[in-house]
Amino acid sequence: MNEFLQQTVNGLVMGSCYTLIALGLTLIFGMLDMVNFAHGDLYMVGAFIAVACVGTLGVPYYLSILVAMIAVALLGVLLERIAFRPLEKSSRVNLLVSSIGISIILQNGVQLLWGPDPRPLPSPLANSVFGAFGITLNAQRILVVGVALGLIVLVYLLIQKTNLGIAMRAVALDSEVAALMGVRLNRILAATFALGAGLAAVAGVLLGPMFNVYPTMGVSATLKAFVVVLLGGIGNVAGAIAGGFLLGLMETYTAGYISSEYKDVISFILMILVLLFKPNGIFGTYVQEKV
């Protein structure tokens, strides 16, 4: 039982970060009907900004979370303005190719600035360990879950209870009708990119002290976030939250009880099963369109 609880805690840690990354991806997917393959690289950029803040500038780790979130949110707005907005009315393939191009640019830009070698992200909580309920708890992992859960709740309330959230859902449902109702599409898209990019950056800073930070770490993050979006149902925020934690737990149980070599495989097995048997996602619903 103690081992199961330990694996569950580890799964919640990974699942909370997967959820932070997937929330932005599912919001953007709902707006533009495309997968932003550069989204995981924003997670990577956030981690490297924190490395620069803590390691070079001497900024406290906790403050670096906020700095990275704001900086990457502004980067997300910039990318939306120069890489996606001009292609908004074009084919979805053009948007897809643009996102791949941005991903390559971000990866190579980070390599030019920091080099290709993995770098550590120091945290005062990284080596703080204590026991509770027969399991070992790391203070950094507790911080990850606490901050992530707080942000997830705030984002969910923002989307469900605020005017901005109502506008986001309206644009995702039908952008043309939303525009006729007075919703300013460009502002909503910019806000969505800022929100998604900021959440991805926070995930990078939270996980950075637990793993080395390297320029291609965003590739895996993008793939995992895409799996979460498919699991939860495309454009379904509540589904993305549930799917993120589900994937984190499934990966951790696989690594703990079968083999760590199959940890990444389980993600794509789940994705294939969902596509075969429930293509609208576990939490998605089929809506018949009138023609």
Side-chain angles (χ1 to χ4, degrees):
M1 178 58 69
N2 288 345
E3 182 182 357
F4 176 77
L5 291 175
Q6 185 72 64
Q7 296 297 341
T8 300
V9 170
N10 295 337
L12 291 175
V13 171
M14 297 306 301
S16 59
C17 288
Y18 287 159
T19 301
L20 286 179
I21 303 171
L23 278 174
L25 192 65
T26 197
L27 288 172
I28 293 170
F29 201 116
M31 297 283 183
L32 297 178
D33 193 25
M34 53 83 68
V35 178
N36 179 15
F37 279 101
H39 192 70
D41 294 288
L42 299 174
Y43 153 85
M44 176 269 297
V45 171
F48 269 98
I49 290 176
V51 168
C53 288
V54 177
T56 305
L57 302 177
V59 176
Y61 171 75
Y62 307 106
L63 182 58
S64 73
I65 299 176
L66 181 61
V67 172
M69 183 178 185
I70 294 173
V72 178
L74 293 175
L75 176 60
V77 174
L78 178 63
L79 294 180
E80 186 275 332
R81 184 66 183 86
I82 65 176
F84 297 110
R85 189 181 300 182
L87 302 174
E88 184 180 352
K89 301 299 182 182
S90 64
S91 169
R92 302 299 95 176
V93 175
N94 293 340
L95 287 166
L96 182 65
V97 172
S98 180
S99 72
I100 294 174
I102 292 298
S103 174
I104 295 172
I105 291 171
L106 290 176
Q107 289 179 32
N108 284 273
V110 167
Q111 289 192 44
L112 286 174
L113 290 173
W114 286 285
D117 298 328
R119 289 173 173 263
L121 175 55
S123 168
L125 300 178
N127 298 319
S128 179
V129 179
F130 57 93
F133 306 105
I135 62 176
T136 301
L137 298 175
N138 179 278
Q140 180 66 31
R141 293 176 180 266
I142 294 175
L143 176 69
V144 170
V145 175
V147 172
L149 286 177
L151 288 175
I152 289 168
V153 171
L154 288 176
V155 170
Y156 185 79
L157 292 176
L158 181 147
I159 293 172
Q160 297 295 326
K161 303 296 184 181
T162 67
N163 291 333
L164 176 61
I166 294 172
M168 286 181 175
R169 288 185 283 134
V171 172
L173 184 64
D174 194 320
S175 60
E176 293 183 359
V177 173
L180 291 174
M181 295 295 103
V183 176
R184 298 184 178 182
L185 298 183
N186 289 336
R187 289 189 178 183
I188 298 302
L189 285 174
T192 302
F193 270 83
L195 177 62
L199 292 175
V202 171
V205 182
L206 291 175
L207 285 182
M210 297 162 50
F211 307 97
N212 286 328
V213 176
Y214 53 95
T216 57
M217 62 188 286
V219 176
S220 175
T222 301
L223 294 175
K224 296 294 179 65
F226 184 53
V227 172
V228 170
V229 170
L230 289 177
L231 284 175
I234 294 173
N236 189 324
V237 174
I241 295 171
F245 284 104
L246 175 62
L247 179 61
L249 290 170
M250 290 295 293
E251 282 190 355
T252 304
Y253 291 148
T254 301
Y257 293 107
I258 301 177
S259 172
S260 59
E261 296 179 356
Y262 297 104
K263 178 175 70 71
D264 294 327
V265 175
I266 193 66
S267 306
F268 300 101
I269 291 176
L270 285 173
M271 181 181 70
I272 293 171
L273 291 175
V274 169
L275 290 175
L276 287 175
F277 299 106
K278 206 172 189 308
N280 296 302
I282 297 175
F283 304 95
T285 55
Y286 175 74
V287 178
Q288 186 174 3
E289 294 185 1
K290 296 181 180 180
V291 294

